[in-house]
Amino acid sequence: MARKFYPTDLTNMEWEILSPLIPPAKEGGHPRTTDMREICNAIYYHLKTGCQWNMLPGDFPPSSTVYNYYR
């Protein structure tokens, strides 16, 4: 099932600009399993709507994961 589109989602052009600025996963650690574009989409959703972290829609990654990247 495809994820719902939100008005705050990054466009492909925005993601092309932003993705090189995101640092890679740490060497020697557990490989990254979360899509960084989805993390960014969830952060933008939170910033635009002002919702609480635990009230992010369920089709985003877990709110604790999103908050840890935001922090």
Side-chain angles (χ1 to χ4, degrees):
M1 184 169 140
R3 185 179 75 76
K4 179 182 174 187
F5 173 79
Y6 295 98
T8 56
D9 284 353
L10 291 167
T11 63
N12 289 336
M13 182 179 270
E14 291 169 333
W15 179 241
E16 286 180 26
I17 294 168
L18 183 61
S19 63
L21 303 175
I22 297 174
K26 294 178 184 176
E27 290 186 29
H30 190 273
R32 188 175 280 159
T33 58
T34 305
D35 181 9
M36 293 307 296
R37 186 172 182 169
E38 288 302 305
I39 294 290
C40 292
N41 285 335
I43 290 171
Y44 292 142
Y45 180 90
H46 167 75
L47 293 174
K48 184 68 175 179
T49 64
C51 71
Q52 295 175 359
W53 287 109
N54 63 349
M55 295 185 77
L56 284 173
D59 47 359
F60 285 126
S63 59
S64 59
T65 303
V66 176
Y67 177 73
N68 284 331
Y69 277 104
Y70 175 79
R71 195 171 47 110

